[in-house]
Amino acid sequence: MSKRGRIKNVKATNVDGIKYRSRLEAFTSIELRKSKIKFHYEKEKFVLMDKFKYNGSSIEKRKKKGKLVYDEAPQSVRSITYVPDFTNIKQGWIIEVKGLKSDVFNVKWKLFKQYLAKNKLNYDLYMPGSKKQILETIKLIKEKNGNTKKNI
């Protein structure tokens, strides 16, 4: 990781006027299009935890200031949201392209699965981390949606 918390070797890439956050995401987009699979990029937003007010006081270290800060009640606490990389809700699948998983992402992923379970939403979730896994994911989506015949 770099000094700012960004993952090294991740390079934003433009494809057909769309800015993808990584070369793996751009590759996924290209391969989905080649396979004639319709998708949306970062369109769906799931609220995993609603915003709320905390009525107690808190003393917390702030990253920017590097010192303890006293917050008086009430305090607004932001919601936790998750935006998957590629979705086709009609076909029932979500792709999250992930080279390296952070601790924060691991928690969000669990919260996302919990959200789906509580709301009785059963999407096929894919998390490829390499070009080979992306191609395998696309093959599985095509097979499931009848775009290709399975080899028996």
Side-chain angles (χ1 to χ4, degrees), residues 90-106:
K90 280 187 178 181
Q91 289 184 359
W93 57 262
I94 292 172
I95 299 174
E96 178 63 41
V97 178
K98 200 54 75 186
L100 294 172
K101 296 186 281 186
S102 69
D103 291 340
V104 171
F105 175 78
N106 288 335

Side-chain angles (χ1 to χ4, degrees), residues 114-144:
Q114 181 186 48
Y115 171 90
L116 295 177
K118 281 183 176 180
N119 290 285
K120 296 181 171 70
L121 299 170
N122 294 311
Y123 300 120
D124 293 332
L125 304 177
Y126 302 94
M127 194 185 306
S130 67
K131 288 181 177 181
K132 182 180 177 183
Q133 291 173 356
I134 289 164
L135 294 174
E136 185 179 338
T137 295
I138 290 170
K139 182 181 174 193
L140 291 169
I141 290 170
K142 285 173 70 173
E143 287 173 355
K144 182 144 189 178

